[in-house]
Amino acid sequence: YRLGHWKIRLKLRSLHILCTVLVAAIGTQINASERGPVTNLLIPRYVSLKANEANARRGPSLSHRIDWIFKKKGMPLEIYGEYDNWRRVRDAEGAGGWIHYSLLSGVRSIIVTSSMADLHRKSDQNSMVMARIEQNYIADLRKCIKEWCEIDAGKYAGWIKKTDIWGVAPDEIR
């Protein structure tokens, strides 16, 4: 009986150690996925396309096949992976792949996703509408508060609802 009791305690202790190790490993992976392994910057994060054209590849090297070509300088992209000098990106429609980091810029931009979005003078639904912006228009991002972002859209600058754009996190304040 004593030997059997000892074996059970040993198995329970081993199981406890295994669970502790697994929880620690899972916690490490969760924390690791919040920061890029190369840059130590948050993942996901938003950037813009620096070049007029950029090849999005199937994998992080020049030997990988080109799956997509981005052709709009300033286009907002979401980085959701890093490997060496390569960043895994996607656009507002989910298209993307691996792009060399030299083709990306930290300058932030947004793309309008609503069919026509109101650009307000202030971050208030009741403020004056200065312009209506078409879907797929790319604008420079200035700052964001809880539900609004201030943008520069060529001749006009003002506030747009976050729900009308892509290129910022829903809870982002900047």
Side-chain angles (χ1 to χ4, degrees):
Y1 172 75
R2 282 186 160 257
L3 187 58
H5 183 68
W6 179 80
K7 284 182 181 178
I8 291 171
R9 290 186 75 197
L10 182 62
K11 285 183 180 183
L12 286 174
R13 192 172 289 155
S14 297
L15 186 59
H16 175 72
I17 291 169
L18 178 62
C19 288
T20 303
V21 169
L22 285 173
V23 167
I26 290 168
T28 302
Q29 284 218 320
I30 290 170
N31 291 338
S33 67
E34 294 174 357
R35 296 274 175 184
V38 177
T39 63
N40 200 35
L41 296 173
L42 289 176
I43 295 220
R45 68 180 178 277
Y46 292 93
V47 294
S48 61
L49 190 63
K50 187 191 303 186
N52 290 319
E53 189 173 291
N55 296 330
R57 297 182 178 274
R58 183 153 296 179
S61 77
L62 292 175
S63 63
H64 284 89
R65 187 177 120 195
I66 297 169
D67 283 339
W68 194 258
I69 301 174
F70 292 112
K71 293 190 172 194
K72 185 69 175 166
K73 185 177 182 175
M75 172 183 277
L77 298 169
E78 179 186 37
I79 293 178
Y80 66 103
E82 297 181 345
Y83 179 80
D84 198 24
N85 291 326
W86 295 84
R87 304 297 175 260
R88 193 167 193 190
V89 300
R90 60 181 154 227
D91 66 9
E93 297 172 351
W98 291 91
I99 293 182
H100 195 269
Y101 81 99
S102 65
L103 300 172
L104 302 173
S105 169
V107 174
R108 298 285 299 277
S109 61
I110 57 91
I111 189 165
V112 176
T113 55
S114 297
S115 58
M116 288 296 268
D118 292 336
L119 185 68
H120 292 263
R121 180 177 298 277
K122 297 179 182 176
S123 58
D124 177 1
Q125 187 68 34
N126 297 320
S127 71
M128 184 176 102
V129 175
M130 300 171 47
R132 299 198 75 208
I133 303 176
E134 294 180 5
Q135 188 173 19
N136 296 323
Y137 186 86
I138 295 171
D140 294 329
L141 179 65
R142 289 186 176 173
K143 63 182 175 181
C144 291
I145 57 176
K146 185 177 180 183
E147 295 177 2
W148 295 83
C149 288
E150 186 179 22
I151 64 169
D152 184 353
K155 294 186 279 182
Y156 299 97
W159 292 86
I160 192 167
K161 291 195 77 131
K162 279 186 181 177
T163 54
D164 291 331
I165 61 175
W166 186 88
V168 297
D171 59 346
E172 184 173 350
I173 306 291
R174 70 179 257 127

